[in-house]
Amino acid sequence: MFHAIDSRQRVSADYDWTLMWAALLLVGVGFVMVYSASIATAEAGRHTGYQPAYFLVRHGIYVLAGVMMGLIAFQVPTRVWQQYSAYLFILGAALLVLVLIPGVGREVNGSQRWLSLFVFNLQPSEFMKLAVVIYAADYTVRKAAHLDSFRRGFLPMLMVMLLVGALLLLEPDFGAFAVITAIAMALLFLGGMNWRLFAGLIALLVAGFVALIWSSPYRLQRVVGFMDPWSDPYGKGYQLSHALIAFGRGEWLGVGLGASVEKLFYLPEAHTDFLLAVIAEELGFAGVTVVVVLFAWVVARAFFIGRQAANLDRYFSSLTAQGVGVWLGVQAVINMGVNMGLLPTKGLTLPLMSFGGSGLAANCIAVAILLRIDWENRQMMRGIAV
């Protein structure tokens, strides 16, 4: 009897259940809210067959596929991810090139970001984020002795990131470029880059982002619309003004699940980029708080797992875990900031929640890798304790 109890306790201690449940809750809440936010769009769309559950069924398939891919990814040891990091990065870059070829890449809303695979569309930039996490973690570990040197430590990574950035900006996908830049810079800093060099690079990046915005009319219009959406509520401020209206209508506890008005063709991309606005309207401040807390917990656990791996001298695993935390955290903050009117409009979805197969699959794989790192940490600590 006592042996059975001890066995159950040992199994339960093998995994970070709080991280797993936080991720599953985000996926579950997203599943419900994607359905709520997409009913009107599905009923009115000819390509959906006028079926209200069209997006629900597709998102359900995406969730199942993402979970299955996550289960497979969990079986892969972190040393294998490190061993093939360069190949994953090259594959991701090749897909970014492929998506830009006329007749191969699929254009939606003025952006050429998708590859049509008949049954579904693949968005390479989502998987590139994962590839950058793994590649940057491996690069930082390999170049640890040279991170104080601009030429030997940072310049090679800079050249690679400029190539990826150029490919993303040609789509254009400025949001993915911002997230990938944040991942690479954060991992170099966490890996021990000289703080003076890092500060100088941050200043350079800020200047570069300002130049990119200033040189592009449509990006500049988005910034202008963000600064004063009510000056042109039917033009450049349309998305943000309706997102703010949704937040205002929700108040503390929301208008009730399914009762959103803004999702009825007022708020564009309600089931993707502006899902949080629908959550705010239907579930209120309480619902948004739950989502924010769940994301905060996932990010906090990622950094805790990373620190634990570093204490065990597993530096690649440490940086990979923290890279996943930076990725999910930065993308969630940007999406929430856009929905709340704190940041200019960007085409970034809410990780683990928004409609979209590529993003959901990449996020599930990232969480699975995080859980694998934690599992390996626990196995190693158990071996040390024994």
Short mmCIF file of all heavy atoms in Angstrom, two decimals, residues 74-108:
data_model
loop_
_atom_site.label_atom_id
_atom_site.label_comp_id
_atom_site.label_asym_id
_atom_site.label_seq_id
_atom_site.Cartn_x
_atom_site.Cartn_y
_atom_site.Cartn_z
N PHE A 74 7.60 16.30 -27.05
CA PHE A 74 8.01 16.01 -25.68
C PHE A 74 8.92 14.78 -25.61
O PHE A 74 9.76 14.67 -24.72
CB PHE A 74 6.78 15.78 -24.79
CG PHE A 74 7.11 15.49 -23.35
CD1 PHE A 74 7.44 16.51 -22.48
CD2 PHE A 74 7.12 14.18 -22.88
CE1 PHE A 74 7.77 16.25 -21.16
CE2 PHE A 74 7.45 13.90 -21.56
CZ PHE A 74 7.77 14.94 -20.70
N GLN A 75 8.77 13.87 -26.57
CA GLN A 75 9.58 12.65 -26.57
C GLN A 75 11.01 12.89 -27.05
O GLN A 75 11.88 12.03 -26.90
CB GLN A 75 8.93 11.60 -27.49
CG GLN A 75 7.47 11.30 -27.17
CD GLN A 75 7.25 10.84 -25.75
OE1 GLN A 75 8.03 10.05 -25.21
NE2 GLN A 75 6.19 11.34 -25.12
N VAL A 76 11.26 14.06 -27.64
CA VAL A 76 12.58 14.35 -28.21
C VAL A 76 13.49 14.94 -27.14
O VAL A 76 13.17 15.99 -26.57
CB VAL A 76 12.46 15.33 -29.40
CG1 VAL A 76 13.85 15.62 -30.00
CG2 VAL A 76 11.52 14.77 -30.46
N PRO A 77 14.63 14.32 -26.85
CA PRO A 77 15.56 14.87 -25.85
C PRO A 77 16.08 16.24 -26.29
O PRO A 77 16.23 16.51 -27.49
CB PRO A 77 16.69 13.84 -25.81
CG PRO A 77 16.09 12.58 -26.34
CD PRO A 77 15.09 13.02 -27.36
N THR A 78 16.39 17.10 -25.34
CA THR A 78 16.85 18.45 -25.69
C THR A 78 18.19 18.42 -26.43
O THR A 78 18.46 19.30 -27.24
CB THR A 78 17.00 19.31 -24.41
OG1 THR A 78 17.81 18.62 -23.46
CG2 THR A 78 15.64 19.59 -23.81
N ARG A 79 19.01 17.40 -26.19
CA ARG A 79 20.29 17.32 -26.92
C ARG A 79 20.05 17.13 -28.41
O ARG A 79 20.87 17.56 -29.24
CB ARG A 79 21.14 16.18 -26.36
CG ARG A 79 20.49 14.82 -26.41
CD ARG A 79 21.39 13.71 -25.88
NE ARG A 79 20.68 12.44 -25.77
CZ ARG A 79 20.40 11.65 -26.80
NH1 ARG A 79 20.80 11.99 -28.02
NH2 ARG A 79 19.75 10.51 -26.62
N VAL A 80 18.93 16.49 -28.78
CA VAL A 80 18.61 16.30 -30.20
C VAL A 80 18.21 17.63 -30.82
O VAL A 80 18.62 17.96 -31.94
CB VAL A 80 17.50 15.25 -30.37
CG1 VAL A 80 17.08 15.15 -31.85
CG2 VAL A 80 17.96 13.89 -29.86
N TRP A 81 17.41 18.44 -30.08
CA TRP A 81 17.05 19.77 -30.57
C TRP A 81 18.31 20.60 -30.79
O TRP A 81 18.44 21.32 -31.79
CB TRP A 81 16.13 20.47 -29.58
CG TRP A 81 14.76 19.89 -29.48
CD1 TRP A 81 14.25 19.18 -28.44
CD2 TRP A 81 13.72 19.97 -30.45
NE1 TRP A 81 12.96 18.80 -28.70
CE2 TRP A 81 12.61 19.28 -29.93
CE3 TRP A 81 13.61 20.55 -31.72
CZ2 TRP A 81 11.40 19.15 -30.61
CZ3 TRP A 81 12.41 20.43 -32.41
CH2 TRP A 81 11.33 19.74 -31.87
N GLN A 82 19.26 20.50 -29.85
CA GLN A 82 20.51 21.25 -29.99
C GLN A 82 21.33 20.75 -31.18
O GLN A 82 21.89 21.55 -31.95
CB GLN A 82 21.34 21.14 -28.71
CG GLN A 82 22.62 21.97 -28.76
CD GLN A 82 23.38 21.94 -27.44
OE1 GLN A 82 23.09 21.12 -26.56
NE2 GLN A 82 24.35 22.82 -27.28
N GLN A 83 21.37 19.45 -31.37
CA GLN A 83 22.15 18.86 -32.44
C GLN A 83 21.65 19.31 -33.82
O GLN A 83 22.44 19.51 -34.75
CB GLN A 83 22.09 17.33 -32.33
CG GLN A 83 22.90 16.60 -33.38
CD GLN A 83 22.79 15.09 -33.21
OE1 GLN A 83 22.21 14.58 -32.24
NE2 GLN A 83 23.35 14.34 -34.16
N TYR A 84 20.33 19.47 -33.94
CA TYR A 84 19.74 19.81 -35.24
C TYR A 84 19.29 21.27 -35.31
O TYR A 84 18.51 21.63 -36.19
CB TYR A 84 18.57 18.88 -35.53
CG TYR A 84 18.99 17.46 -35.83
CD1 TYR A 84 18.99 16.50 -34.83
CD2 TYR A 84 19.42 17.10 -37.10
CE1 TYR A 84 19.40 15.20 -35.09
CE2 TYR A 84 19.83 15.80 -37.38
CZ TYR A 84 19.82 14.86 -36.36
OH TYR A 84 20.23 13.57 -36.63
N SER A 85 19.76 22.11 -34.40
CA SER A 85 19.31 23.50 -34.35
C SER A 85 19.60 24.25 -35.65
O SER A 85 18.75 24.99 -36.16
CB SER A 85 19.96 24.22 -33.17
OG SER A 85 21.38 24.22 -33.30
N ALA A 86 20.79 24.08 -36.20
CA ALA A 86 21.15 24.77 -37.44
C ALA A 86 20.28 24.32 -38.60
O ALA A 86 19.87 25.13 -39.44
CB ALA A 86 22.62 24.54 -37.75
N TYR A 87 19.99 23.02 -38.66
CA TYR A 87 19.16 22.50 -39.74
C TYR A 87 17.73 23.02 -39.65
O TYR A 87 17.10 23.33 -40.67
CB TYR A 87 19.16 20.96 -39.71
CG TYR A 87 20.53 20.35 -39.91
CD1 TYR A 87 21.23 19.82 -38.84
CD2 TYR A 87 21.12 20.33 -41.17
CE1 TYR A 87 22.49 19.27 -39.01
CE2 TYR A 87 22.39 19.78 -41.35
CZ TYR A 87 23.06 19.26 -40.27
OH TYR A 87 24.32 18.73 -40.44
N LEU A 88 17.21 23.12 -38.42
CA LEU A 88 15.87 23.67 -38.23
C LEU A 88 15.82 25.13 -38.68
O LEU A 88 14.85 25.57 -39.31
CB LEU A 88 15.46 23.56 -36.76
CG LEU A 88 15.16 22.16 -36.23
CD1 LEU A 88 14.96 22.20 -34.72
CD2 LEU A 88 13.92 21.59 -36.91
N PHE A 89 16.89 25.86 -38.36
CA PHE A 89 16.94 27.27 -38.74
C PHE A 89 16.99 27.41 -40.26
O PHE A 89 16.31 28.25 -40.85
CB PHE A 89 18.15 27.94 -38.10
CG PHE A 89 18.21 29.42 -38.31
CD1 PHE A 89 17.54 30.28 -37.46
CD2 PHE A 89 18.90 29.96 -39.38
CE1 PHE A 89 17.58 31.65 -37.66
CE2 PHE A 89 18.95 31.32 -39.59
CZ PHE A 89 18.29 32.18 -38.73
N ILE A 90 17.81 26.60 -40.92
CA ILE A 90 17.93 26.65 -42.38
C ILE A 90 16.60 26.29 -43.02
O ILE A 90 16.18 26.92 -44.01
CB ILE A 90 19.05 25.70 -42.85
CG1 ILE A 90 20.41 26.24 -42.40
CG2 ILE A 90 19.02 25.54 -44.37
CD1 ILE A 90 21.55 25.26 -42.62
N LEU A 91 15.91 25.28 -42.47
CA LEU A 91 14.60 24.89 -43.00
C LEU A 91 13.61 26.04 -42.86
O LEU A 91 12.85 26.33 -43.80
CB LEU A 91 14.09 23.65 -42.26
CG LEU A 91 12.68 23.18 -42.64
CD1 LEU A 91 12.61 22.80 -44.11
CD2 LEU A 91 12.26 22.00 -41.75
N GLY A 92 13.62 26.70 -41.71
CA GLY A 92 12.73 27.84 -41.49
C GLY A 92 13.01 28.96 -42.47
O GLY A 92 12.09 29.56 -43.04
N ALA A 93 14.30 29.27 -42.69
CA ALA A 93 14.67 30.32 -43.64
C ALA A 93 14.26 29.95 -45.06
O ALA A 93 13.80 30.81 -45.83
CB ALA A 93 16.18 30.57 -43.56
N ALA A 94 14.42 28.68 -45.42
CA ALA A 94 14.02 28.22 -46.75
C ALA A 94 12.51 28.39 -46.97
O ALA A 94 12.07 28.80 -48.06
CB ALA A 94 14.42 26.76 -46.95
N LEU A 95 11.73 28.13 -45.95
CA LEU A 95 10.28 28.31 -46.06
C LEU A 95 9.92 29.78 -46.19
O LEU A 95 8.98 30.14 -46.91
CB LEU A 95 9.58 27.71 -44.83
CG LEU A 95 9.60 26.17 -44.73
CD1 LEU A 95 9.00 25.71 -43.41
CD2 LEU A 95 8.84 25.55 -45.90
N LEU A 96 10.68 30.65 -45.51
CA LEU A 96 10.44 32.09 -45.65
C LEU A 96 10.75 32.57 -47.06
O LEU A 96 10.10 33.49 -47.57
CB LEU A 96 11.29 32.87 -44.64
CG LEU A 96 10.89 32.74 -43.16
CD1 LEU A 96 11.83 33.58 -42.29
CD2 LEU A 96 9.45 33.18 -42.93
N VAL A 97 11.75 31.97 -47.68
CA VAL A 97 12.06 32.30 -49.07
C VAL A 97 10.96 31.76 -49.98
O VAL A 97 10.49 32.46 -50.90
CB VAL A 97 13.42 31.70 -49.48
CG1 VAL A 97 13.64 31.87 -50.99
CG2 VAL A 97 14.55 32.37 -48.71
N LEU A 98 10.54 30.54 -49.72
CA LEU A 98 9.52 29.89 -50.55
C LEU A 98 8.22 30.67 -50.57
O LEU A 98 7.55 30.78 -51.61
CB LEU A 98 9.29 28.47 -50.03
CG LEU A 98 8.56 27.49 -50.96
CD1 LEU A 98 9.35 27.27 -52.23
CD2 LEU A 98 8.32 26.17 -50.23
N VAL A 99 7.85 31.23 -49.42
CA VAL A 99 6.57 31.93 -49.33
C VAL A 99 6.56 33.22 -50.15
O VAL A 99 5.48 33.73 -50.50
CB VAL A 99 6.25 32.24 -47.84
CG1 VAL A 99 6.96 33.48 -47.36
CG2 VAL A 99 4.74 32.40 -47.63
N LEU A 100 7.73 33.73 -50.50
CA LEU A 100 7.83 34.97 -51.28
C LEU A 100 7.80 34.74 -52.79
O LEU A 100 7.69 35.69 -53.56
CB LEU A 100 9.11 35.71 -50.91
CG LEU A 100 9.20 36.24 -49.48
CD1 LEU A 100 10.59 36.80 -49.20
CD2 LEU A 100 8.14 37.30 -49.21
N ILE A 101 7.89 33.48 -53.21
CA ILE A 101 7.89 33.16 -54.64
C ILE A 101 6.48 33.32 -55.21
O ILE A 101 5.54 32.70 -54.70
CB ILE A 101 8.40 31.73 -54.89
CG1 ILE A 101 9.83 31.59 -54.38
CG2 ILE A 101 8.31 31.37 -56.37
CD1 ILE A 101 10.38 30.18 -54.47
N PRO A 102 6.30 34.15 -56.22
CA PRO A 102 4.97 34.33 -56.81
C PRO A 102 4.39 33.00 -57.30
O PRO A 102 5.08 32.20 -57.93
CB PRO A 102 5.24 35.27 -58.00
CG PRO A 102 6.50 35.98 -57.64
CD PRO A 102 7.32 34.99 -56.87
N GLY A 103 3.13 32.79 -56.98
CA GLY A 103 2.47 31.56 -57.36
C GLY A 103 2.63 30.45 -56.34
O GLY A 103 1.90 29.44 -56.39
N VAL A 104 3.57 30.60 -55.42
CA VAL A 104 3.78 29.60 -54.36
C VAL A 104 3.21 30.11 -53.04
O VAL A 104 2.41 29.44 -52.40
CB VAL A 104 5.28 29.27 -54.20
CG1 VAL A 104 5.48 28.26 -53.05
CG2 VAL A 104 5.84 28.70 -55.49
N GLY A 105 3.65 31.32 -52.65
CA GLY A 105 3.10 31.93 -51.44
C GLY A 105 1.69 32.43 -51.67
O GLY A 105 1.32 32.84 -52.78
N ARG A 106 0.88 32.38 -50.63
CA ARG A 106 -0.52 32.81 -50.72
C ARG A 106 -0.68 34.16 -50.04
O ARG A 106 -0.24 34.35 -48.92
CB ARG A 106 -1.43 31.77 -50.06
CG ARG A 106 -2.92 32.07 -50.18
CD ARG A 106 -3.73 30.85 -49.77
NE ARG A 106 -5.15 31.11 -49.93
CZ ARG A 106 -5.95 31.51 -48.93
NH1 ARG A 106 -5.44 31.68 -47.72
NH2 ARG A 106 -7.23 31.72 -49.14
N GLU A 107 -1.33 35.09 -50.74
CA GLU A 107 -1.51 36.44 -50.22
C GLU A 107 -2.89 36.58 -49.59
O GLU A 107 -3.91 36.20 -50.17
CB GLU A 107 -1.36 37.47 -51.35
CG GLU A 107 -1.45 38.91 -50.86
CD GLU A 107 -1.18 39.91 -51.97
OE1 GLU A 107 -0.42 39.57 -52.90
OE2 GLU A 107 -1.73 41.02 -51.90
N VAL A 108 -2.93 37.13 -48.37
CA VAL A 108 -4.18 37.40 -47.66
C VAL A 108 -4.07 38.79 -47.05
O VAL A 108 -3.11 39.10 -46.35
CB VAL A 108 -4.43 36.35 -46.54
CG1 VAL A 108 -5.71 36.69 -45.78
CG2 VAL A 108 -4.50 34.95 -47.11
#
